[in-house]
Amino acid sequence: MTAAAGRGSTTVADKAVRKIAERAAQEALPSPAAGRPKGSAAVHGRRATVALRLALPYPVPLSDTARLVQEHVAARTGQLTGLQVAPPRMTVTRLESRDAAPESSGERASEAKASARRWWSARRAPTAALILLAGVSCAAVTGDVIRVHTTGHSTGAWRERAVDRLAGLHVDDLGVTVASLVAAALGVWLMVLAFTPGRRRLLPLTTDGARQSVVIDRLSVAALARDAVGSVDGVERVRVRAGRRRLTVRARLAFGEQETALREATAATERILAGCHLHRRLRCRVHVRPTPHWQPPRHESSNAPADERGHTA
C-alpha cells in the first residue's frame, strides 16, 4: 500500500469552485427562470470563499430566500469539493416578476431587530491613482539615491533642478498658493471618500441575522412602485423617483375619480414599500394629476377644477 506522503495531492481550482457554487445557487432559487447566477471564488488551502450575484423572483421574502441560498451553496459546494466553504456573500442585482411565487411561512424577517449595514464601495480608482502617484515618486527618488551611493556618480539633474526650484519658492508666490489649494482640495476629497459610503444607490434591507447584509437597488424599488401604481384603474403614465429617504410617485389619470385613484395609488405604493422590508422606511409622496383629455365622472360637476392632488405618507 502506498504511503500517504506518496499519493500526491488534489488541488481544486478557483474556476471549478465558482462553477459549482453558481450551479448550487441556481438549484436553490425558488424559480429556475430567475436568471443564471454569476460569481467568483478563491481557494486558500482547505478553505474557499465565494461571492455571488443573482436575481431573485418577485415577490419572495428576500432575507429568507438569501439565507436559504447561502446555506445550500455552502453545503453543496463543500460536499462536492471537500473544502470548507463559508456562507457566500450575495448581491441581489434585480427582482423579476413571476406569475406564481411561494408564500412566506411564519412571520416576516422585518419583525426581527437585526441591524442592517450600508454597503461601502471599495474606492478602487482613487486608491489606485494615489498609490500609483506615490509609488512612482518614491521609486524615482529611491532609485536615484541608490545609484549615487553604489556608483559614486553625481545626483540626477532632474533632482537637482527640483531641489533648486523648491528652495527658490516663497510662501506668498502664486504657484505655491495654487498648489496648496489643489493639495487641500484633494485631501478633503480623499477624506470624504474615506468616511462616506460609495454605494449610495443601494438600500439596506432588514434581515434576521447579524452576519447577513442584504441590499436592494433604488431603481428596483422604483420599478416595483411604478408597476404597482400603473395597475390602478385610470392611471395612464407613472414616474417614480426613489431617493435615500423619500419615494416620489407622479401619475397621470386618464379616466375615473381623482380622489379614488389617489387613494389606490397610495395604498399600492405603501404595500410595495412594506413588502421590500427596507431597514429605513422611505417617506412616500404620491401625486395624481389628470391628463389634458381627462373628463370628470358624470356625477361630478363638469366645471370642477382638475388640479393636482397629492398625498404624503
Side-chain angles (χ1 to χ4, degrees):
M1 184 176 180
T2 307
R7 297 176 190 172
S9 60
T10 301
T11 302
V12 183
D14 298 348
K15 184 177 180 180
V17 176
R18 174 179 60 82
K19 289 187 175 182
I20 293 174
E22 291 175 350
R23 179 61 63 88
Q26 193 169 8
E27 294 174 355
L29 289 176
S31 173
R36 186 174 182 273
K38 301 292 184 181
S40 60
V43 179
H44 308 281
R46 299 292 300 173
R47 299 178 179 270
T49 56
V50 179
L52 293 172
R53 295 173 57 85
L54 72 167
L56 293 181
Y58 175 82
V60 294
L62 297 180
S63 59
D64 294 344
T65 304
R67 185 181 67 254
L68 292 177
V69 172
Q70 285 178 318
E71 293 175 353
H72 182 76
V73 169
R76 187 65 169 165
T77 307
Q79 178 186 8
L80 295 178
T81 60
L83 301 174
Q84 296 180 7
V85 182
R89 177 172 181 176
M90 288 179 50
T91 300
V92 180
T93 57
R94 65 185 184 276
L95 300 178
E96 295 184 353
S97 299
R98 294 290 174 265
D99 295 335
E103 297 182 356
S104 176
S105 59
E107 298 182 353
R108 301 299 297 261
S110 61
E111 299 177 359
K113 302 301 182 181
S115 60
R117 302 188 305 272
R118 178 176 294 279
W119 285 19
W120 288 59
S121 174
R123 308 292 191 180
R124 294 183 177 88
T127 303
L130 182 62
I131 293 176
L132 181 62
L133 178 62
V136 170
S137 303
C138 294
V141 175
T142 303
D144 189 67
V145 171
I146 294 176
R147 183 185 63 83
V148 170
H149 286 278
T150 55
T151 62
H153 293 166
S154 59
T155 305
W158 64 271
R159 193 149 64 99
E160 293 182 354
R161 288 196 301 269
V163 172
D164 293 341
R165 184 170 182 80
L166 292 175
L169 293 177
H170 299 281
V171 178
D172 55 349
D173 290 346
L174 179 62
V176 175
T177 304
V178 172
S180 302
L181 293 177
V182 171
L186 290 176
V188 172
W189 178 59
L190 292 176
M191 291 181 63
V192 171
L193 292 181
F195 289 101
T196 57
R199 301 182 180 181
R200 303 176 71 86
R201 300 190 66 85
L202 301 179
L203 299 175
L205 304 181
T206 302
T207 61
D208 56 356
R211 296 185 178 182
Q212 294 181 352
S213 179
V214 184
V215 295
I216 186 173
D217 191 271
R218 286 189 288 174
L219 295 179
S220 300
V221 178
L224 295 174
R226 182 170 58 251
D227 294 341
V229 176
S231 62
V232 175
D233 293 339
V235 173
E236 187 178 65
R237 294 190 302 272
V238 183
R239 293 187 303 168
V240 181
R241 182 182 181 276
R244 295 179 57 225
R245 293 181 174 84
R246 176 180 297 178
L247 182 74
T248 304
V249 179
R250 300 185 182 276
R252 301 300 298 270
L253 186 66
F255 62 88
E257 295 184 358
Q258 188 174 356
E259 291 291 344
T260 303
L262 176 60
R263 289 195 301 269
E264 294 180 358
T266 303
T269 306
E270 291 291 341
R271 287 195 301 268
I272 290 299
L273 293 179
C276 288
H277 295 278
L278 299 175
H279 180 65
R280 174 181 291 180
R281 184 69 176 270
L282 299 180
R283 294 194 300 271
C284 177
R285 290 186 61 89
V286 180
H287 302 272
V288 176
R289 181 179 181 182
T291 58
H293 57 271
W294 175 81
Q295 295 293 333
R298 293 183 179 180
H299 61 274
E300 295 183 0
S301 176
S302 59
N303 57 0
D307 57 339
E308 183 178 349
R309 307 292 177 87
H311 179 78
T312 302

